[in-house]
Structures are given as structure tokens and as C-alpha cells.
């Protein structure tokens, strides 16, 4: 998978359904990216946490993320 180019603190919309939900993430909710490596991100619940690199408990591959607009 290629790097989607997200930076720490970028807003993303999580997409998942009941069969592939990750942790307590909610489909359609906006979270804030924290880059782990080229294809993995952790998600923060708030922009401040994303910028401060507060690491949530969940690391996900970027294919489950869509940039928030």
C-alpha cells in the first residue's frame, strides 16, 4: 500500500462496518491521524491529541481512513 500523505493532526473519517470494526472506532466519525510509519496510523479523538501525538490504543492501516473534508 502507498503512503496517503497524512500528517500528524490531519482529520480522517474512519470507515468500517460491524464485520470489520476496529476497537471502539465508530464508522463515519472523524479522528485525527498520528503517523506510525508509511502505511500505519494511530488515531486520536481530538485535534489537540493528534497534534500532541497522543497515541491511542489502535494502530490501523490507512485503507480504513478517508481524509476529512
Amino acid at each position: 500500500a502507498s503512503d496517503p500523505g497524512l500528517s500528524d493532526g490531519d482529520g480522517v473519517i474512519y470507515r468500517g462496518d460491524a464485520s470489520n470494526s476496529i476497537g471502539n472506532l465508530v464508522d463515519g466519525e472523524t479522528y485525527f491521524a498520528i503517523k506510525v510509519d508509511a502505511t500505519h496510523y494511530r488515531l486520536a479523538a481530538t485535534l489537540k491529541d493528534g497534534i500532541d501525538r497522543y497515541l491511542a490504543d489502535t494502530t490501523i492501516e490507512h485503507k480504513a481512513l478517508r481524509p476529512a473534508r
Side-chain angles (χ1 to χ4, degrees):
S2 63
D3 184 346
L6 297 171
S7 297
D8 289 343
D10 283 352
V12 295
I13 299 172
Y14 172 74
R15 295 289 179 210
D17 60 34
S19 66
N20 69 358
S21 182
I22 298 172
N24 60 353
L25 300 178
V26 178
D27 180 56
E29 288 291 320
T30 299
Y31 297 93
F32 299 89
I34 301 168
K35 190 171 187 170
V36 175
D37 60 34
T39 58
H40 293 87
Y41 293 82
R42 288 190 159 204
L43 299 180
T46 68
L47 175 59
K48 180 179 180 341
D49 287 347
I51 292 170
D52 291 345
R53 295 185 52 85
Y54 171 77
L55 298 179
D57 291 334
T58 304
T59 301
I60 65 172
E61 289 188 65
H62 70 78
K63 65 185 176 184
L65 304 176
R66 301 290 178 267
R69 302 210 189 266

